[in-house]
Amino acid sequence: MRSGMTCRLVALCFDAHDPLSLARFWAGVLGWEMADDPQDGIALLPSDDTGFRLRFLPTQEQKVGQNQMHFDLTSTSLEDQQQTVARSLGLGARHIDVGQRPEEGHVVLADPEGNEFCVIEPDNKFLADCGFIGALASDGSQEVGYFWSEALGWPLVWDQNQETAIRSPHGGPKITWGGPPLMPKTGKYRLHFDLAPPADGDQQAEVDRLISLGATRIDIGQGEVSWVVMADPDGHEFCVYPGSPASAGRW
């Protein structure tokens, strides 16, 4: 199924109370440029080999509990790590405690809307050849790591002790899953993936393929829209759009 028949990861979407402000924060942290979004959100376009954009979409829902996904940002030196932390704090981030131990070298922060992210210490071997966004670290099962590897056609680059990681053949961040036990799900996740069929592909065929891999169609009250809302085997929501990334709308 990996020979030119996999869907594309078009965007990582953040639900936000103030999409413009949150986009400005992440543009400042990452050095990415803001762009118009096809609907009523805000997009950031990658300035490196990250193969997907970020989208910030309006929501009234309150954040409950820890996010299922967060960024691990890399550092080239201790000074570089400190500069990333200082830049983030200056843009509106804050230090948070998620149970990290004092001897651990990474710094845990939250963006202005409480979305967690880590600034990783230098010399982290697992992220050594990755860019500034080293990984999108996810809470999830081994099964869901296998699902996303097949769904995106990204090979497994880690598979030990029920922990998995995948990475695009073109480079960019790794996506990792920490294995069980999983955090309890508290409503719709604030971060989700937007997918699109391959250039010559068909939305319905892609939906059928994803169902065959273990995904399900779900109804979150989206109404009559051009995209299909689905959930992966762990129940994490994602969207499949009918073609061009420019057609991507909001939930």
Side-chain angles (χ1 to χ4, degrees):
M1 287 190 180
R2 292 185 178 176
S3 56
M5 297 184 61
T6 52
C7 52
R8 295 170 292 136
L9 175 55
V10 173
L12 172 66
C13 302
F14 288 72
D15 287 351
H17 294 146
D18 188 340
L20 180 58
S21 291
L22 195 60
R24 284 175 173 156
F25 169 85
W26 281 105
V29 172
L30 299 175
W32 291 15
E33 296 218 354
M34 295 175 61
D36 291 333
D37 192 70
Q39 299 291 327
D40 54 0
I42 306 292
L44 295 185
L45 303 181
S47 59
D48 53 22
D49 65 354
T50 302
F52 53 87
R53 64 181 64 189
L54 303 184
R55 299 179 67 226
F56 300 86
L57 309 174
T59 186
Q60 302 301 317
E61 297 294 322
Q62 297 299 312
K63 183 177 186 290
V64 179
Q66 204 170 306
N67 283 344
Q68 182 262 334
M69 294 188 276
H70 69 267
F71 284 138
D72 282 345
L73 305 180
T74 62
S75 305
T76 58
S77 65
L78 283 175
E79 181 183 17
D80 181 52
Q81 182 185 28
Q82 292 163 358
Q83 288 174 348
T84 298
V85 170
R87 181 169 73 253
S88 301
L89 295 173
L91 291 166
R94 67 182 189 276
H95 288 277
I96 58 169
D97 184 353
V98 295
Q100 68 269 30
R101 299 186 298 275
E103 66 270 18
E104 293 178 306
H106 62 276
V107 178
V108 185
L109 302 173
D111 72 17
E113 295 207 8
N115 301 302
E116 305 87 359
F117 65 102
C118 294
V119 185
I120 304 299
E121 68 278 10
D123 303 321
N124 181 292
K125 291 182 173 56
F126 183 67
L127 303 177
D129 63 341
C130 298
F132 185 43
I133 301 178
L136 182 58
S138 310
D139 183 61
S141 65
Q142 182 182 49
E143 178 190 10
V144 92
Y146 293 169
F147 166 82
W148 282 107
S149 177
E150 291 290 340
L152 297 174
W154 292 14
L156 283 162
V157 294
W158 182 266
D159 185 10
Q160 293 185 29
N161 302 319
Q162 300 191 65
E163 298 178 352
T164 52
I166 62 175
R167 191 182 188 197
S168 168
H170 305 292
K174 294 176 178 176
I175 305 178
T176 70
W177 292 270
L182 304 186
M183 296 184 296
K185 192 170 189 291
T186 53
K188 184 170 86 67
Y189 287 116
R190 295 188 80 78
L191 281 71
H192 72 266
F193 291 143
D194 281 350
L195 309 182
D200 56 351
D202 172 77
Q203 182 189 34
Q204 186 57 53
E206 192 56 37
V207 168
D208 291 343
R209 188 183 71 88
L210 292 166
I211 290 172
S212 77
L213 294 175
T216 53
R217 292 184 69 138
I218 59 172
D219 185 347
I220 57 168
Q222 64 267 25
E224 292 294 322
V225 293
S226 63
W227 57 92
V228 177
V229 184
M230 307 189 75
D232 69 20
D234 280 356
H236 309 143
E237 305 91 353
F238 64 94
C239 290
V240 181
Y241 285 88
S244 164
S247 68
R250 70 173 181 88
W251 293 21

